[in-house]
Amino acid sequence: MFLRRKPASDLVGDIRPTWHLHRYLQGSANLFEENRLLKIAVAGLFGITAVLGALIYTSNQNARTVIVPFGADGDLFITGNRPSEGYLRSITFNVVGLAGTYSAYSADRQFQELLRIVHPSAYNEVRDSLNRLLDELRSNPTLSIATYIRSDQAVTRSGAEILVPIEKVRVIGGVIRKFRGNLRIRYALENGRFWLTALQEENFDADAR
């Protein structure tokens, strides 16, 4: 009695296609799972990057630069781009002293020191204004100016401006005249550094006393 073998065509049609389909479906499922895991990993990476970026930005904004000049007292610091009251008070005295009290012998040196803190965007304008004062001093070598912050009025600060009530004493050829008005100091803070952007005298009148 002879057993009849299935033809080769039956093996190809009945067994091998089924095995290939199973392997294809299993591979597709694995590929889909890998893609899903990859998307989750990429999304997690972006999330971690965003959190780290926010932490670094917050840290930079809260970084404190401590500035204590020789002989100074009080809290002189900048947190992010926010200066302390002591720092602004010290800057105000320095700017008023450099820009407002001078003579033919000291003006050039003082003005050069003042220009060191002038912002590049305002440098040319402030330099030209100071040069006009130097020309006036050359024409009048006996001229001297002394400027004082008035104690009867408060210094006010708003935004990036400081309004300083001042008194100027002008001496030329032995003649003394006094003037009162305001000095408006405009400034900017960049990366913990103070920059002077403008100086403007306002509402000056001769003292009647």
Side-chain angles (χ1 to χ4, degrees):
M1 183 177 184
F2 297 96
L3 295 175
R4 185 169 175 265
R5 291 184 60 186
K6 289 186 178 181
S9 59
D10 291 342
L11 291 174
V12 173
D14 296 342
I15 299 176
R16 291 186 178 178
T18 304
W19 180 76
H20 281 295
L21 180 61
H22 176 73
R23 187 174 65 174
Y24 172 76
L25 292 176
Q26 186 178 7
S28 298
N30 291 337
L31 182 61
F32 177 79
E33 186 67 20
E34 290 175 359
N35 288 340
R36 189 167 67 88
L37 292 175
L38 181 61
K39 291 178 181 178
I40 293 174
V42 171
L45 182 61
F46 275 113
I48 293 173
T49 302
V51 171
L52 290 177
L55 290 175
I56 293 173
Y57 176 79
T58 302
S59 176
N60 288 337
Q61 290 299 308
N62 293 328
R64 174 175 292 187
T65 302
V66 178
I67 305 171
V68 183
F70 178 76
D73 57 2
D75 296 327
L76 309 182
F77 60 84
I78 297 176
T79 302
N81 281 330
R82 296 187 301 275
S84 67
E85 289 295 321
Y87 181 82
L88 286 179
R89 186 165 53 250
S90 178
I91 282 291
T92 300
F93 276 102
N94 288 335
V95 171
V96 170
L98 289 174
T101 300
Y102 54 84
S103 66
Y105 302 100
S106 65
D108 186 60
R109 183 179 65 255
Q110 288 181 216
F111 292 168
Q112 290 299 324
E113 189 70 20
L114 184 64
L115 286 172
R116 293 177 59 185
I117 63 172
V118 175
H119 194 274
S121 64
Y123 185 89
N124 291 337
E125 181 179 355
V126 175
R127 181 196 59 193
D128 292 343
S129 176
L130 295 177
N131 283 339
R132 287 192 290 271
L133 291 177
L134 289 175
D135 291 338
E136 183 180 0
L137 289 169
R138 293 188 187 101
S139 302
N140 302 281
T142 61
L143 171 64
S144 63
I145 302 289
T147 301
Y148 309 95
I149 298 177
R150 295 171 59 183
S151 59
D152 60 328
Q153 293 189 9
V155 176
T156 58
R157 305 180 183 91
S158 61
E161 290 188 351
I162 306 172
L163 188 64
V164 189
I166 59 174
E167 179 178 271
K168 297 182 70 172
V169 180
R170 178 185 175 98
V171 181
I172 181 170
V175 178
I176 301 175
R177 294 196 66 187
K178 295 181 180 181
F179 302 86
R180 286 187 170 184
N182 295 318
L183 177 66
R184 188 178 298 275
I185 302 172
R186 292 189 176 93
Y187 67 91
L189 292 169
E190 295 179 358
N191 299 320
R193 177 171 179 174
F194 178 92
W195 289 105
L196 183 66
T197 59
L199 283 173
Q200 184 178 353
E201 293 183 344
E202 302 175 346
N203 304 322
F204 266 85
D205 296 313
D207 190 354
R209 293 181 304 171

